[in-house]
Every structure is written in structure tokens, then in C-alpha cells.
Amino acid sequence: MIGPDVLIAMLPEHLLLAGIVALLVVEVALRRPRGALALSLVAVIAALAAALSLAIAGYADAPFPGQ
């Protein structure tokens, strides 16, 4: 099944996108947004950890093979 393969292979990208969405929500929802730097660092570090763990595990699958 391609669903889990796509989610695993694109996990770092999904984490970065989730961080962007969280930053937008914080910016729009709060009157005086605070913690944007910390939130962005958490998103980048989470994506880094996911990419590093995939690399260490030897995961070398393409999310959309043949494209």
C-alpha cells in the first residue's frame, strides 16, 4: 500500500508544514504573538530528528517512485 510509504518518506516535510501552519495559527489567533522563534525551532528540530532517524535506519524509499 502506498499510503504508509508516502507518510513515512515525507515525514520531515510534513513536520515542517505543520510548523508553518502552527506559526500562522499563532500569528492570527493571538493579539500579541509570542514564542514564534521557539515554535519554529521546535518544528525544524522535529523535522531534523525525523530525517536523521530515517537516514540512520537506512530508509531509502521514494514517496512517489518513478516520478
Side-chain angles (χ1 to χ4, degrees):
M1 179 175 252
I2 195 167
D5 293 333
V6 170
L7 291 177
I8 292 171
M10 295 186 70
L11 181 62
E13 289 89 351
H14 287 139
L15 290 172
L16 287 175
L17 287 173
I20 291 170
V21 170
L23 285 170
L24 287 171
V25 167
V26 165
E27 186 72 29
V28 170
L30 299 178
R31 194 175 257 181
R32 294 177 130 189
R34 295 180 185 219
L37 177 63
L39 183 59
S40 61
L41 284 176
V42 166
V44 169
I45 290 171
L48 172 71
L52 186 61
S53 67
L54 287 174
I56 289 173
Y59 190 83
D61 199 7
F64 301 103
Q67 289 188 353

